[in-house]
Amino acid sequence: AQSVTQPDIHITVSEGASLELRCNYSYGATPYLFWYVQSPGQGLQLLLKYFSGDTLVQGIKGFEAEFKRSQSSFNLRKPSVHWSDAAEYFCAVGLGGTSYGKLTFGQGTILTVHP
Amino acid sequence: DGGITQSPKYLFRKEGQNVTLSCEQNLNHDAMYWYRQDPGQGLRLIYYSQIVNDFQKGDIAEGYSVSREKKESFPLTVTSAQKNPTAFYLCASRAHNEGADTQYFGPGTRLTVL
């Protein structure tokens, strides 16, 4: 079965610093890849997604992610973090085909931003 | 505005009671999903439905039930058989013709068993 690993449970950065959140997946083929963000007590908002083509994808709020097939990774980056980016971030994998659109989520990374 | 609504936002239940969580979408999406979220565990799939009058169990369906009588609605019932129902519940929907597995989420319902 496919799995998604977010190695960092909690990350703290200073406002204005760069950010990289890690995501690794385990699956034989190239899955569909997603990053979602969740503010406390809220639903999940889609930041970006990768299906095929250019391995560097741009998302909302200045985020980008790079798919690296050789490393089975899909890390999320932002060059300069704002205090409003503090939230929990989830990486997710979809298999397409006959999987009925189901997603497998990582355990999440909580981002704290210091002023 | 198009979107997914969940109600209520907060729900309290006494042990032994069934309770139903509402999920409605006006996005004209075909597929709908229910997830349970516990701290540090990500999201786990409870049930999903691809079309009206059809649904399938997810990874943690025990103690839950659903119905899909209308395309717009996918209510989740948490039954008294669910051993540990206190959690945050999220509903999502997906269009069959958009980017394969892209799901959009509602704002969630926090259920607390007293």
Side-chain angles (χ1 to χ4, degrees):
Chain A
Q2 72 276 10
S3 65
V4 181
T5 302
Q6 293 180 245
D8 304 305
I9 295 173
H10 196 168
I11 283 183
T12 300
V13 300
S14 298
E15 190 169 16
S18 63
L19 172 70
E20 183 169 30
L21 302 182
R22 296 182 291 165
C23 174
N24 294 95
Y25 65 89
S26 173
Y27 181 60
T30 299
Y32 302 117
L33 297 161
F34 305 84
W35 275 99
Y36 288 88
V37 61
Q38 183 182 37
S39 297
Q42 304 297 316
L44 273 66
Q45 180 182 22
L46 180 67
L47 282 176
L48 47 78
K49 57 189 178 184
Y50 173 79
F51 294 151
S52 64
D54 192 347
T55 57
L56 184 64
V57 293
Q58 303 297 321
I60 61 172
K61 304 186 179 188
F63 285 93
E64 67 178 26
E66 185 172 12
F67 167 59
K68 292 186 177 180
R69 185 189 308 274
S70 61
Q71 299 177 18
S72 296
S73 70
F74 189 56
N75 293 351
L76 182 71
R77 302 194 294 247
K78 187 169 185 178
S80 177
V81 171
H82 188 263
W83 64 266
S84 60
D85 293 325
E88 188 163 15
Y89 292 78
F90 291 93
C91 181
V93 164
L95 300 181
T98 58
S99 70
Y100 304 109
K102 291 186 290 182
L103 297 180
T104 299
F105 286 83
Q107 293 186 326
T109 297
I110 297 171
L111 174 65
T112 298
V113 181
H114 281 167
Chain B
D1 282 343
I4 303 172
T5 57
Q6 292 186 241
S7 61
K9 187 172 178 62
Y10 298 97
L11 189 56
F12 298 90
R13 188 193 93 176
K14 293 182 180 179
E15 283 194 27
Q17 287 181 337
N18 292 355
V19 64
T20 297
L21 283 60
S22 169
C23 177
E24 304 276 335
Q25 54 97 0
N26 61 4
L27 300 169
N28 199 32
H29 285 175
D30 300 291
M32 298 185 74
Y33 305 81
W34 272 107
Y35 293 90
R36 170 182 172 136
Q37 185 178 20
D38 297 282
Q41 296 194 41
L43 279 69
R44 292 182 289 168
L45 183 64
I46 304 172
Y47 267 98
Y48 60 102
S49 168
Q50 300 300 298
I51 57 173
V52 174
N53 293 323
D54 187 49
F55 48 83
Q56 290 79 37
K57 293 181 179 180
D59 300 320
I60 57 164
E62 184 175 354
Y64 300 97
S65 65
V66 294
S67 63
R68 187 85 186 277
E69 297 177 1
K70 299 186 300 181
K71 187 176 184 178
E72 302 80 16
S73 178
F74 191 39
L76 173 74
T77 297
V78 184
T79 75
S80 57
Q82 168 52 232
K83 297 285 188 286
N84 184 21
T86 294
F88 191 53
Y89 290 87
L90 288 159
C91 178
S93 69
R94 175 180 69 89
H96 281 168
N97 61 352
E98 181 201 336
D101 302 347
T102 306
Q103 293 184 20
Y104 297 91
F105 285 81
T109 292
R110 183 166 298 281
L111 173 64
T112 302
V113 174
L114 303 174

